[in-house]
Coordinates of all heavy atoms in Angstrom, one line a residue:
G88 N 7.2 1.1 7.5 CA 7.7 -0.2 7.1 C 8.7 -0.7 8.1 O 9.7 0.0 8.4
V89 N 8.6 -1.9 8.6 CA 9.5 -2.5 9.6 C 10.5 -3.4 8.9 O 11.7 -3.3 9.2 CB 8.7 -3.2 10.7 CG1 9.6 -3.9 11.6 CG2 7.7 -2.3 11.4
S90 N 10.0 -4.3 8.1 CA 10.8 -5.3 7.5 C 10.1 -5.8 6.2 O 8.9 -5.7 6.1 CB 11.1 -6.4 8.5 OG 11.9 -7.4 7.9
C91 N 10.8 -6.4 5.3 CA 10.2 -7.1 4.2 C 11.1 -8.1 3.7 O 12.3 -8.2 4.0 CB 9.9 -6.1 3.1 SG 11.3 -5.3 2.3
V92 N 10.5 -9.0 2.9 CA 11.3 -10.1 2.2 C 10.8 -10.2 0.8 O 9.6 -10.2 0.5 CB 11.1 -11.4 3.0 CG1 9.6 -11.8 3.1 CG2 11.9 -12.6 2.3
S93 N 11.8 -10.2 -0.1 CA 11.4 -10.3 -1.5 C 11.0 -11.7 -1.9 O 11.3 -12.7 -1.2 CB 12.6 -9.8 -2.4 OG 13.7 -10.7 -2.3
S94 N 10.4 -11.8 -3.1 CA 10.0 -13.1 -3.6 C 11.1 -13.7 -4.5 O 11.2 -14.9 -4.6 CB 8.7 -12.9 -4.4 OG 8.9 -12.1 -5.6
A95 N 11.9 -12.8 -5.2 CA 12.9 -13.3 -6.2 C 14.0 -14.1 -5.5 O 14.3 -15.2 -6.0 CB 13.5 -12.1 -6.9
D96 N 14.6 -13.6 -4.5 CA 15.7 -14.3 -3.9 C 15.7 -14.4 -2.4 O 16.6 -14.8 -1.8 CB 17.0 -13.6 -4.3 CG 17.1 -12.1 -4.0 OD1 16.2 -11.6 -3.3 OD2 18.1 -11.5 -4.4
G97 N 14.6 -13.9 -1.8 CA 14.5 -14.0 -0.3 C 15.2 -12.9 0.4 O 15.4 -13.0 1.6
S98 N 15.7 -11.9 -0.3 CA 16.4 -10.8 0.3 C 15.5 -10.1 1.4 O 14.3 -9.9 1.2 CB 16.9 -9.7 -0.7 OG 17.7 -10.3 -1.6
T99 N 16.1 -9.7 2.5 CA 15.4 -9.1 3.6 C 15.9 -7.8 3.9 O 17.1 -7.5 3.7 CB 15.5 -10.0 4.8 OG1 16.9 -10.2 5.2 CG2 14.9 -11.4 4.6
Y100 N 15.1 -6.9 4.4 CA 15.4 -5.5 4.8 C 14.7 -5.2 6.1 O 13.7 -5.7 6.4 CB 15.0 -4.6 3.6 CG 15.6 -4.9 2.3 CD1 15.0 -5.8 1.5 CD2 16.8 -4.3 2.0 CE1 15.6 -6.1 0.3 CE2 17.4 -4.6 0.8 CZ 16.8 -5.5 -0.1 OH 17.4 -5.8 -1.3
Y101 N 15.4 -4.3 6.8 CA 14.9 -3.9 8.1 C 15.1 -2.4 8.3 O 16.1 -1.8 7.9 CB 15.7 -4.6 9.2 CG 15.6 -6.1 9.2 CD1 16.5 -6.8 8.4 CD2 14.6 -6.8 9.8 CE1 16.4 -8.2 8.4 CE2 14.5 -8.1 9.7 CZ 15.4 -8.9 9.0 OH 15.3 -10.2 8.9
T102 N 14.1 -1.8 8.9 CA 14.3 -0.4 9.3 C 15.4 -0.3 10.4 O 15.5 -1.3 11.2 CB 13.0 0.3 9.7 OG1 13.1 1.7 9.8 CG2 12.5 -0.3 11.1
D103 N 16.1 0.8 10.5 CA 17.2 0.9 11.4 C 16.9 0.6 12.9 O 17.7 0.0 13.6 CB 17.8 2.3 11.3 CG 18.6 2.5 10.1 OD1 18.9 1.5 9.4 OD2 18.9 3.7 9.8
S104 N 15.7 0.9 13.3 CA 15.3 0.8 14.7 C 15.2 -0.6 15.1 O 15.2 -0.9 16.3 CB 14.1 1.6 15.0 OG 13.0 1.1 14.3
V105 N 15.0 -1.6 14.2 CA 14.8 -3.0 14.6 C 16.0 -3.9 14.1 O 16.0 -5.1 14.5 CB 13.5 -3.5 14.0 CG1 12.4 -2.6 14.4 CG2 13.6 -3.7 12.5
K106 N 17.0 -3.3 13.4 CA 18.1 -4.2 13.0 C 18.8 -4.8 14.2 O 19.1 -4.2 15.2 CB 19.1 -3.3 12.2 CG 18.6 -2.9 10.8 CD 19.6 -2.1 10.1 CE 19.1 -1.7 8.7 NZ 20.1 -0.8 8.0
G107 N 19.1 -6.1 14.0 CA 19.7 -6.8 15.1 C 18.8 -7.4 16.1 O 19.2 -8.2 16.9
R108 N 17.5 -7.0 16.1 CA 16.5 -7.5 17.0 C 15.4 -8.3 16.4 O 14.9 -9.2 17.0 CB 15.9 -6.3 17.8 CG 16.9 -5.5 18.6 CD 16.2 -4.5 19.5 NE 15.5 -3.5 18.8 CZ 14.1 -3.3 18.9 NH1 13.4 -4.1 19.7 NH2 13.5 -2.4 18.2
F109 N 15.0 -7.9 15.2 CA 13.9 -8.5 14.4 C 14.5 -9.4 13.3 O 15.5 -9.0 12.7 CB 12.9 -7.5 13.9 CG 12.1 -6.8 14.9 CD1 12.4 -6.8 16.3 CD2 11.1 -6.0 14.5 CE1 11.6 -6.1 17.2 CE2 10.3 -5.3 15.4 CZ 10.6 -5.4 16.7
T110 N 13.8 -10.5 13.0 CA 14.1 -11.3 11.8 C 12.9 -11.7 11.1 O 11.9 -12.2 11.7 CB 14.9 -12.6 12.3 OG1 16.0 -12.2 13.0 CG2 15.3 -13.4 11.1
I111 N 12.9 -11.4 9.8 CA 11.7 -11.8 9.0 C 12.1 -13.1 8.2 O 13.3 -13.3 7.8 CB 11.4 -10.7 8.0 CG1 10.0 -11.0 7.3 CG2 12.5 -10.4 7.0 CD1 9.5 -9.8 6.5
S112 N 11.1 -13.9 8.0 CA 11.4 -15.1 7.2 C 10.1 -15.5 6.5 O 9.0 -15.1 6.9 CB 11.9 -16.3 8.1 OG 10.9 -16.6 9.1
R113 N 10.2 -16.3 5.4 CA 9.0 -16.7 4.7 C 9.2 -18.2 4.4 O 10.3 -18.7 4.2 CB 8.8 -15.9 3.4 CG 9.8 -16.1 2.3 CD 9.6 -15.1 1.2 NE 8.3 -15.4 0.5 CZ 7.8 -14.5 -0.4 NH1 8.3 -13.3 -0.6 NH2 6.6 -14.8 -1.0
D114 N 8.1 -18.9 4.5 CA 8.0 -20.3 4.2 C 7.1 -20.4 3.0 O 5.8 -20.4 3.1 CB 7.5 -21.1 5.4 CG 7.6 -22.6 5.1 OD1 7.6 -23.0 4.0 OD2 7.6 -23.3 6.1
N115 N 7.6 -20.5 1.8 CA 6.8 -20.5 0.6 C 5.9 -21.8 0.5 O 4.8 -21.8 -0.1 CB 7.7 -20.4 -0.7 CG 8.2 -19.0 -0.9 OD1 7.9 -18.1 -0.1 ND2 9.1 -18.9 -1.8
A116 N 6.4 -22.9 1.1 CA 5.6 -24.1 1.0 C 4.3 -24.0 1.8 O 3.3 -24.7 1.6 CB 6.4 -25.3 1.5
K117 N 4.4 -23.2 2.9 CA 3.2 -23.0 3.8 C 2.5 -21.7 3.6 O 1.5 -21.4 4.2 CB 3.7 -23.1 5.2 CG 4.2 -24.4 5.6 CD 4.6 -24.4 7.1 CE 5.2 -25.8 7.5 NZ 5.6 -25.8 8.9
N118 N 3.0 -20.8 2.7 CA 2.4 -19.5 2.5 C 2.3 -18.7 3.8 O 1.3 -18.1 4.1 CB 1.0 -19.6 1.8 CG 1.0 -20.0 0.4 OD1 2.0 -20.4 -0.2 ND2 -0.1 -19.9 -0.3
M119 N 3.5 -18.8 4.5 CA 3.5 -18.1 5.8 C 4.7 -17.2 5.8 O 5.8 -17.4 5.2 CB 3.7 -19.1 6.9 CG 2.5 -20.0 7.1 SD 1.1 -19.2 7.8 CE 1.7 -18.8 9.5
V120 N 4.6 -16.1 6.5 CA 5.6 -15.1 6.8 C 5.7 -14.9 8.3 O 4.6 -14.8 8.9 CB 5.4 -13.8 6.0 CG1 6.6 -12.8 6.4 CG2 5.4 -14.1 4.5
Y121 N 6.9 -14.8 8.8 CA 7.1 -14.6 10.3 C 7.9 -13.4 10.5 O 8.7 -13.0 9.7 CB 7.8 -15.8 10.9 CG 7.1 -17.1 10.5 CD1 7.5 -17.9 9.5 CD2 6.0 -17.6 11.3 CE1 6.9 -19.1 9.1 CE2 5.3 -18.8 11.0 CZ 5.8 -19.5 9.9 OH 5.1 -20.7 9.6
L122 N 7.7 -12.8 11.7 CA 8.5 -11.8 12.2 C 8.9 -12.1 13.6 O 8.1 -12.0 14.5 CB 7.9 -10.4 12.1 CG 8.7 -9.2 12.5 CD1 9.8 -9.0 11.5 CD2 7.9 -7.9 12.7
Q123 N 10.1 -12.6 13.8 CA 10.7 -12.9 15.1 C 11.2 -11.6 15.7 O 12.0 -10.9 15.2 CB 11.8 -13.9 15.1 CG 12.4 -14.2 16.4 CD 11.4 -14.9 17.4 OE1 10.7 -15.9 16.9 NE2 11.4 -14.5 18.6
M124 N 10.6 -11.2 16.9 CA 11.0 -9.9 17.5 C 11.6 -10.2 18.9 O 10.9 -10.8 19.8 CB 9.7 -9.1 17.7 CG 9.0 -8.8 16.4 SD 7.6 -7.6 16.6 CE 6.6 -8.5 17.7
N125 N 12.8 -9.9 19.0 CA 13.6 -10.1 20.3 C 14.0 -8.7 20.9 O 13.9 -7.7 20.2 CB 14.8 -10.9 20.0 CG 14.6 -12.3 19.5 OD1 13.6 -12.9 19.8 ND2 15.5 -12.8 18.6
S126 N 14.3 -8.8 22.1 CA 14.8 -7.6 22.9 C 13.8 -6.4 22.7 O 14.2 -5.3 22.4 CB 16.2 -7.2 22.4 OG 17.1 -8.2 22.6

């Protein structure tokens, strides 16, 4: 598991190896989830 986003409050979690580099987000209006991966 790399990252996840909850449905209740949008809380996000990251495995240690990607913290600070990856960002997860969700757009409920579009039924889309994204993973921005930098560095």
